[in-house]
Amino acid sequence: MVHTFQCLGVFAAVDVNSGAVHVLDELTYRLLEQVTPPMEEHCPAEVRDKLPQYDPAALEEAWQELRGLAEQGLLFEEDDYIDREKAASIQQQALVKALCLHVSHDCNLRCKYCFASTGDFGTGHRMTMDFETAKKAIDFVVAKSGHRRNIEVDFFGGEPLMAMDTVKKTVEYARSIEKEHDKCFRFTITTNGVLLDDENIEYINREMSNAVLSLDGRREVNDDLRPTVNGKGSYDVIVPRFEKLIAGRGTKDYYLRGTFTRFHKDFAEDVKALAAIGRNVSVEPVVGKEDDPYALREEDLPELKAEYERLAEYLKDHPETNFFHFNVDLAQGPCVIKRLRGCGAGCEYVAVTPEGDIYPCHQFVGSEDYRLGSVHDDSFDKELSSRFAGLNIYTREACRDCWARFYCSGGCSASNLLVNGDIKKPHHMGCELERKRLECAIALQAIRSGLAE
Amino acid sequence: MKHIKTLNGATLKKSAAHGGCGECQTSCQSACKTSCTVANQKCENQ
């Protein structure tokens, strides 16, 4: 399977199954659109006839170059090299190695699009996690992770800084048992920044390998969508704190992370605004049902795709900005086995609530049909987990024929459920935007590597 | 080649030989928490 596209003036071809990516001249791009493998020895007359604007000798030359790529396994490769049984068996081992630890189901902002119902996840009561529950969650992941060494814990909420005491005790406890169990914990935190004082900043910069800092970009956009409990803007409170944290971050990762909605579709401007605060930026589409006023709609797609390309044009001249969603490691990214199964929600990645309940990921929290168990009684629904473990790009029908399947790896089960009522049925709009982001990412790489202008 | 420049080789196919250790980061934990891109993750074995 070959996907051809134009983006930023670059003509490109992705050989989906081998992972090869080629930059073409326009003649070869038009020619490749006409090719059905296996390729004949010479460019057929009927193909030449469809491209009368080009010199036949030049078409023959390009034809031979394409044939050369096919002979080298760089074009029209099949995916029969993938051992699907091995891949399925790895998934079904259900080794949990990543926790989204909801230390707080309370929040000090009232974001209008919040999937967690402004912090309480629709439960009607706000609470933080006690240390005993967090400790059991750590014991749970250690026990469930088998021989996997690297374990990730993301302190999440609500707003996790509202439960800083639990965060600190949990880190201390996990570090105290690392050697005994031969594990390496990596902690991250996702915060809105309101409670970032000097002590919290110093702690996060010391202990957290990644900090995700929530901010929606321009002041007016942020303050419209992310007000305080009293309905005031949060930008002026938060930004100086994030700046201070970033200044002390050293070589550790961080991302300024924003959400864009139907209210502000010119999100490239928000990326620019965030990049003025820190170089690592992640801005992504809101999760919501189509009837939510802020939710993006199918009719918005042309505008949103154009906006991604506008952003890519800007980033072409601003390589100092690292936009997370245009990062694709073509040469040394994850192996093909990893790329079959995506995020691992429900099997290798789970969320634990302040009550100790286990869900497939943070976005399933509160959906009783998807409650996997509890860290308090060691219950874990293996059958439900196995349904998630069985999800991959071959078992999700819409992914099988998608050119982007090895890059996005099947999308988000929670979005699929929210929009389509089925964890296996990809959210079409999410897929369209993901494909556009990938095209922009590849075109940017071609330009930055000097293969295109 | 005159008409084609290869930006990336058959790295995906090559990765099948050594893949599947499962030590790499869970994609949703990195910087998004809503949308997925797996191909921007790092391989722990590289």
Side-chain angles (χ1 to χ4, degrees), chain A residues 349-403:
Chain A
Y349 167 56
V350 299
V352 178
T353 69
E355 296 91 343
D357 292 333
I358 306 168
Y359 288 90
C361 81
H362 55 293
Q363 295 212 41
F364 283 94
V365 166
S367 253
E368 275 313 293
D369 290 349
Y370 288 91
R371 185 179 171 275
L372 279 162
S374 168
V375 298
H376 289 297
D377 59 12
D378 289 330
S379 56
F380 190 71
D381 186 338
K382 285 186 179 165
E383 194 183 321
L384 179 55
S385 177
S386 164
R387 275 172 55 200
F388 281 87
L391 295 172
N392 62 49
I393 58 170
Y394 295 112
T395 58
R396 281 181 160 128
E397 205 173 327
C399 299
R400 276 181 226 157
D401 299 320
C402 173
W403 72 266

Side-chain angles (χ1 to χ4, degrees), chain A residues 19 21-23 25 61 65 77 97 99 149-150 154 186 210 257 282 284 327 336 338 362 407 434, chain B residues 2-3 5-8 11 13 15 23-26 29-36 38 40 44:
Chain A
V21 180
H22 310 287
V23 178
D25 62 14
E61 204 172 54
E65 288 188 17
E77 275 292 285
K97 55 134 188 160
L99 283 187
R149 187 157 186 273
N150 294 324
D154 185 33
R186 289 173 185 168
N210 189 15
R257 188 230 177 265
S282 164
E284 56 190 318
N327 287 346
V336 70
K338 163 83 171 184
H362 55 293
Y407 298 89
E434 173 71 15
Chain B
K2 188 173 165 188
H3 298 276
K5 294 166 187 163
T6 294
L7 176 62
N8 191 60
T11 48
K13 186 170 180 178
S15 75
E23 291 290 359
C24 50
Q25 189 182 29
T26 300
Q29 296 279 60
S30 48
C32 60
K33 307 299 281 192
T34 54
S35 68
C36 289
V38 170
N40 57 10
E44 293 283 340

Side-chain angles (χ1 to χ4, degrees), chain A residues 53-352:
Chain A
Q53 70 272 40
Y54 296 116
D55 172 27
L59 284 171
E60 177 62 24
E61 204 172 54
W63 184 269
Q64 293 308 326
E65 288 188 17
L66 290 171
R67 264 175 56 90
L69 292 180
E71 282 168 11
Q72 293 171 64
L74 298 169
L75 202 62
F76 304 124
E77 275 292 285
E78 298 294 333
D79 59 359
D80 50 7
Y81 66 89
I82 298 169
D83 185 340
R84 295 189 197 183
E85 277 186 25
K86 180 187 167 192
S89 111
I90 289 171
Q91 287 177 252
Q92 290 295 349
Q93 288 169 21
L95 295 170
V96 181
K97 55 134 188 160
L99 283 187
C100 186
L101 201 59
H102 291 227
V103 289
S104 169
H105 273 190
D106 196 356
C107 191
N108 40 23
L109 291 184
R110 292 292 180 266
C111 306
K112 292 176 181 171
Y113 48 70
C114 184
F115 73 89
S117 308
T118 70
D120 70 1
F121 285 77
T123 59
H125 56 276
R126 297 174 177 272
M127 68 182 290
T128 53
M129 181 183 278
D130 61 27
F131 171 60
E132 280 310 305
T133 303
K135 182 172 176 285
K136 284 181 179 171
I138 295 295
D139 290 340
F140 164 82
V141 73
V142 167
K144 281 276 183 187
S145 57
H147 58 274
R148 298 270 196 279
R149 187 157 186 273
N150 294 324
I151 294 181
E152 301 147 42
V153 178
D154 185 33
F155 293 105
F156 200 67
E159 171 49 40
L161 295 189
M162 295 177 84
M164 204 56 191
D165 188 47
T166 301
V167 170
K168 288 180 177 176
K169 285 180 178 165
T170 306
V171 169
E172 189 183 351
Y173 174 67
R175 291 276 182 243
S176 75
I177 61 169
E178 269 182 328
K179 275 192 183 169
E180 173 192 345
H181 295 281
D182 190 27
K183 302 292 177 190
C184 171
F185 279 94
R186 289 173 185 168
F187 298 104
T188 62
I189 195 161
T190 300
T191 178
N192 65 26
V194 173
L195 294 177
L196 272 180
D197 56 18
D198 287 353
E199 189 182 334
N200 285 339
I201 288 172
E202 189 276 328
Y203 183 83
I204 288 169
N205 283 345
R206 190 177 70 237
E207 297 291 347
M208 304 290 161
S209 62
N210 189 15
V212 179
L213 313 172
S214 302
L215 186 74
D216 278 355
R218 292 164 290 178
R219 177 188 274 106
E220 63 272 23
V221 173
N222 185 80
D223 287 351
D224 179 24
L225 294 167
R226 301 178 64 79
T228 64
V229 177
N230 298 326
K232 294 181 179 168
S234 58
Y235 187 93
D236 288 335
V237 174
I238 293 164
V239 169
R241 296 170 193 193
F242 282 167
E243 285 174 334
K244 197 163 189 180
L245 184 144
I246 290 167
R249 198 74 190 128
T251 55
K252 288 185 172 161
D253 287 339
Y254 73 87
Y255 273 94
L256 286 158
R257 188 230 177 265
T259 297
F260 69 84
T261 70
R262 191 157 208 270
F263 300 146
H264 306 282
K265 287 178 276 187
D266 54 345
F267 59 86
E269 297 307 313
D270 296 306
V271 173
K272 291 181 202 174
L274 292 174
I277 298 167
R279 67 177 295 269
N280 300 316
V281 178
S282 164
V283 172
E284 56 190 318
V286 70
V287 173
K289 289 184 177 175
E290 282 230 338
D291 54 355
D292 290 329
Y294 55 78
L296 301 161
R297 299 176 192 169
E298 287 280 332
E299 69 208 54
D300 299 327
L301 271 174
E303 193 179 341
L304 297 174
K305 288 181 180 180
E307 188 67 6
Y308 273 120
E309 193 144 342
R310 199 167 78 81
L311 175 59
E313 279 285 358
Y314 170 80
L315 294 174
K316 195 166 79 171
D317 301 321
H318 294 82
E320 71 281 4
T321 297
N322 170 30
F323 181 60
F324 180 74
H325 296 281
F326 286 169
N327 287 346
V328 173
D329 189 343
L330 293 173
Q332 294 188 315
C335 64
V336 70
I337 306 289
K338 163 83 171 184
R339 291 174 191 237
L340 300 179
R341 65 179 190 262
C343 70
C347 45
E348 62 178 28
Y349 167 56
V350 299
V352 178

Side-chain angles (χ1 to χ4, degrees), chain A residues 2-47:
Chain A
V2 174
H3 173 64
T4 54
F5 66 91
Q6 289 180 64
C7 184
L8 304 178
V10 176
F11 297 96
V14 176
D15 189 46
V16 174
N17 293 320
S18 72
V21 180
H22 310 287
V23 178
L24 315 172
D25 62 14
E26 187 170 354
L27 174 150
T28 312
Y29 178 83
R30 303 285 171 216
L31 178 63
L32 184 54
E33 287 180 323
Q34 304 297 327
V35 176
T36 310
M39 294 179 75
E40 292 177 32
E41 201 171 326
H42 295 285
C43 183
E46 62 266 28
V47 171

